[in-house]
Amino acid sequence: MSYMGFAAKAKKIVYGKQGLRNYIRSFQKKKLILIPKDVGSRVKLDVIKHCQIFDVPYIELYCSKSTLAKALGKQNISVIGITDENIVEGILKMFQ
């Protein structure tokens, strides 16, 4: 959660349907999508499908949408992408 807080303060997160699709298709080298456990099945399948097509890693979190939104200082966030490559590396190392 602390990495996500850092990303939010640095404005290095992407959210929203179109924002995430553009991010997944972008030419950025290191990308990461974070999906909370209680996101809707339709949204989850759509995001995972796009991640698999464009070879973008994703992590299904153990926290809820409300916990994620609170950590980011936002409301009603279901899926986010991290745009800072250093934060992406740090999160991936924690989950490996």
Side-chain angles (χ1 to χ4, degrees):
M1 286 297 171
S2 62
Y3 280 115
M4 289 179 265
F6 292 140
K9 287 180 183 176
K11 298 186 181 186
K12 299 290 184 176
I13 60 170
V14 176
Y15 52 91
K17 185 176 182 178
Q18 195 59 43
L20 284 168
R21 285 186 178 176
N22 291 339
Y23 170 68
I24 290 171
R25 293 179 183 147
S26 72
F27 293 107
Q28 182 177 337
K29 290 182 182 181
K30 295 189 179 184
K31 304 177 209 174
L32 178 63
I33 301 293
L34 301 173
I35 306 169
K37 66 179 179 183
D38 62 344
V39 72
S41 61
R42 182 178 285 175
V43 172
K44 185 177 182 177
L45 291 175
D46 184 53
V47 170
I48 290 173
K49 180 180 77 170
H50 279 87
C51 287
Q52 290 171 342
I53 290 170
F54 291 97
D55 197 30
V56 175
Y58 63 91
I59 296 173
E60 294 183 45
L61 302 172
Y62 296 109
C63 67
S64 65
K65 294 188 305 186
S66 61
T67 305
L68 179 63
K70 186 176 179 181
L72 300 175
K74 303 283 183 186
Q75 294 179 355
N76 298 330
I77 292 202
S78 56
V79 180
I80 65 166
I82 307 291
T83 61
D84 186 274
E85 294 183 3
N86 294 322
I87 295 174
V88 168
E89 283 182 29
I91 293 173
L92 287 175
K93 284 180 185 178
M94 282 180 40
F95 280 94
Q96 287 180 351

